[in-house]
Amino acid sequence: MSNVTVIGTQWGDEGKGKIVDWLASRADIVVRFQGGHNAGHTLVVGDQTYKLSLLPSGLVRGKTGVIGNGVVVDPEAFLAEVERVTAQGLTVSPETLWVADNAALILPVHVATDRAREAARGDRKIGTTGRGIGPAYEDKVARRAIRLCDLAEEETLDWKLDELLLHHNTLLAGLGAPTFTKQALKDHIARLAPRILPYGCTAWARLDEARRSGARILFEGAQAVMLDVDHGTYPFVTSSNTVAAVAASGSGVGPAHVGFVLGIAKAYCTRVGEGPFPSELFDVNGTTLGQRGHEFGTNTGRPRRCGWFDAVLVRQAVKVGGVNGIALTKLDVLDGFDEIKICTGYTLDGAAVSVFPSSPAAQKRVKPVFETIQGWKETTFGARSWADLPAQAIKYIRRIEELIEAPVTLLSTSPERDDTILMRDPFED
Ligand code: IMP
């Protein structure tokens, strides 16, 4: 029996929530392994819409949820989200939601540093979510992070707060932003610790036990490969690795247990925040994609930039991300276009290039090379079988498969869970 890992292959917001929800109904445990509450997953179940940022999507299906050690956890955001979904009728308890006690925490200093730095960057800002993700990961690597387990130890917490404040207050003062007192952070922690600590556990050990007793595990990636801190459009990226390999290190299972890697790709392309986007559209086609696709950030409400499908980037994501099959989403947004374009390559200073360059200066200069495909008039919205799809739409999918060098194994045709065409069951692979 295989596990499944789901990752985004573009810049996030590919519709992972629905796919993860669909797969979660067939899994026993759903694990978040990187990122934090910068993610935004929308799940539509009957007449309820759940907006999750930090909690594993499987909770909506009554599955055990795990927040792995690779996630940065904001206790306030965590508890607020638990409260919100509980008010929507879900049952969430330490029995059904395990949080790795070695996960690094996001505290108000991280949010302040994130925002002060973005403000200081001016035109060169990254467009972060302002939720403290970057500074929290920096502290983890710098070995000064406060981890969930520390909340239970007053003595540890005491000296760790000194280290944290030494760093952040120096930075904040230099940036002209308000600094923090130790007491303010202590009060913040004292208010939240008793409520979050019961969720803390040695998550890797529980996962190991569950795996050995045959549980099916779904690893739920956040963000996407083009936002990966190594492989993405650096420095316009998030602060974690988003590739499938991290499902192992970010949850404490060995790499052999990551299972089938399902990459999610939108049938076109969107991006929030700053950074290069070679196939971006600034014309009416971009506006149409945005309107039809309801392209506004789940978390921030920020409008997403829209463009044609970039096969070069998705091919790159397939290779570095370890993708075995693609789930293509939002095909219906392309219904009714006379012509659809696919970015098949770039030129850089007049020369053809077939990979996205690493340097930010070169990333800015690449020009997309488009191939034009005839569109289709029929609707694909809600299609549940291959036979329901117009011939031109099938042609479009086949061309994408060829260009990205990976099969489309799943097709999502509406936000509804059952409007899904399955070509290959990732759990049976
Ligand atoms: P951070 O993760 O808040 O540091 O933001 C860094 C970059 O990643 C910004 O461009 C964000 O807009 C982007 N980002 C972070 N999380 C998501 C997400 O879940 N979807 C799309 N973009 C995201």
Side-chain angles (χ1 to χ4, degrees), residues 11-13 38-40 114 126-131 133-134 223 227 237-239 271-274 302:
W11 282 288
D13 311 311
N38 50 347
D114 193 358
I126 288 165
T128 71
T129 57
R131 295 178 180 204
I133 309 293
Q223 291 85 46
L227 289 170
V237 292
T238 192
S239 296
R271 163 161 217 175
V272 286
E274 309 300 315
R302 286 190 285 182

Side-chain angles (χ1 to χ4, degrees), residues 386-402:
W386 202 245
D388 292 339
L389 296 177
Q392 260 325 107
I394 294 175
K395 227 176 184 176
Y396 180 70
I397 297 166
R398 293 295 182 225
R399 183 63 182 135
I400 282 180
E401 285 180 315
E402 214 168 66

Side-chain angles (χ1 to χ4, degrees), residues 60-258:
V60 171
R61 295 283 162 204
K63 306 298 166 121
T64 300
V66 180
I67 296 181
N69 55 277
V71 176
V72 282
V73 181
D74 181 329
E76 191 151 47
F78 170 85
L79 292 166
E81 205 165 308
V82 168
E83 225 165 74
R84 203 168 61 234
V85 297
T86 304
Q88 284 188 278
L90 296 186
T91 308
V92 182
S93 72
E95 280 69 50
T96 58
L97 178 57
W98 312 339
V99 186
D101 64 0
N102 52 347
L105 299 183
I106 301 179
L107 296 171
V109 278
H110 298 113
V111 178
T113 298
D114 193 358
R115 293 183 182 174
R117 268 199 320 225
E118 277 284 270
R121 281 184 186 120
D123 286 349
R124 283 185 294 105
K125 71 175 191 295
I126 288 165
T128 71
T129 57
R131 295 178 180 204
I133 309 293
Y137 273 115
E138 289 163 34
D139 281 356
K140 172 175 169 170
V141 176
R143 294 164 292 190
R144 62 174 165 259
I146 292 178
R147 307 199 298 178
L148 182 56
C149 54
D150 299 329
L151 298 188
E153 287 180 15
E154 212 171 304
E155 209 178 299
T156 311
L157 201 55
D158 197 68
W159 65 259
K160 279 202 159 186
L161 278 174
D162 286 334
E163 270 215 37
L164 204 67
L165 284 173
L166 176 67
H167 177 79
H168 286 278
N169 277 346
T170 309
L171 259 177
L172 289 168
L175 290 165
T179 55
F180 284 80
T181 63
K182 191 171 175 182
Q183 195 54 48
L185 282 190
K186 273 190 162 172
D187 291 347
H188 176 83
I189 289 170
R191 186 165 57 80
L192 304 169
R195 290 163 61 212
I196 191 170
L197 270 172
Y199 292 92
C201 65
T202 317
W204 70 263
R206 287 199 192 176
L207 268 175
D208 181 58
E209 202 181 309
R211 188 188 57 72
R212 281 188 291 111
S213 59
R216 278 181 167 192
I217 305 173
L218 176 64
F219 296 95
E220 176 183 5
Q223 291 85 46
V225 177
M226 286 306 132
L227 289 170
D228 181 283
V229 68
D230 285 298
H231 297 290
T233 48
Y234 192 91
F236 299 97
V237 292
T238 192
S239 296
S240 61
N241 285 108
T242 57
V243 291
V246 182
S249 61
S251 62
V253 303
H257 306 302
V258 163

